[in-house]
Amino acid sequence: IAALPSCEGCKAVLRMGSSSNNKVDGDEIAVTDNGNYIVDLHFAEAIKNVPKMAADLKALCGVVDHGLFCGMTTAVLCAGADGVTVTAPEKKNKAEKIVKNMAFLSAAVGLLAV
């Protein structure tokens, strides 16, 4: 996954412990209710092309799905230390620009357990 050009700069981390949160809370590989593994992608910088990355991940053999919702939203909700902010751009494609500029993005990718 990290070798995909559209995922440049990501650190792919196999989720450990519970599959229901993004925190390491166990020594076992996290497994979903469908028996799949989860790989969390951590980014230190903004994703350059979110729709391309979503398409590349979905086309990758063994990937069940991802958590990027390109073209499916009308608002972006960001939770942080200062509370929750809601951004509802006038044009739908502006939401993707906002997401691209968020340097702390983490995408969860479901992998088929073999």
Side-chain angles (χ1 to χ4, degrees):
I1 292 173
L4 288 171
S6 59
C7 295
E8 181 183 356
C10 84
K11 178 181 176 190
V13 179
L14 185 61
R15 190 176 295 178
M16 302 298 286
S18 172
S19 65
S20 63
N21 63 53
N22 291 353
K23 297 179 181 174
V24 176
D25 59 1
D27 295 334
E28 301 288 323
I29 296 172
V31 180
T32 68
D33 55 348
N34 290 324
N36 302 317
Y37 297 144
I38 301 171
V39 175
D40 293 309
L41 304 181
H42 299 270
F43 293 85
E45 296 180 20
I47 299 170
K48 291 177 180 67
N49 187 335
V50 177
K52 172 77 171 137
M53 182 177 143
D56 288 351
L57 287 170
K58 191 70 175 173
L60 196 61
C61 183
V63 172
V64 176
D65 215 337
H66 57 72
L68 299 169
F69 303 101
C70 302
M72 299 170 58
T73 61
T74 56
V76 176
L77 287 84
C78 297
D82 295 332
V84 177
T85 59
V86 179
T87 304
E90 295 172 6
K91 294 186 179 179
K92 201 172 186 181
N93 65 352
K94 285 187 180 179
E96 289 181 359
K97 288 180 183 177
I98 292 167
V99 171
K100 282 187 212 177
N101 292 323
M102 295 168 53
F104 55 88
L105 279 180
S106 176
V109 178
L111 293 178
L112 200 54
V114 180

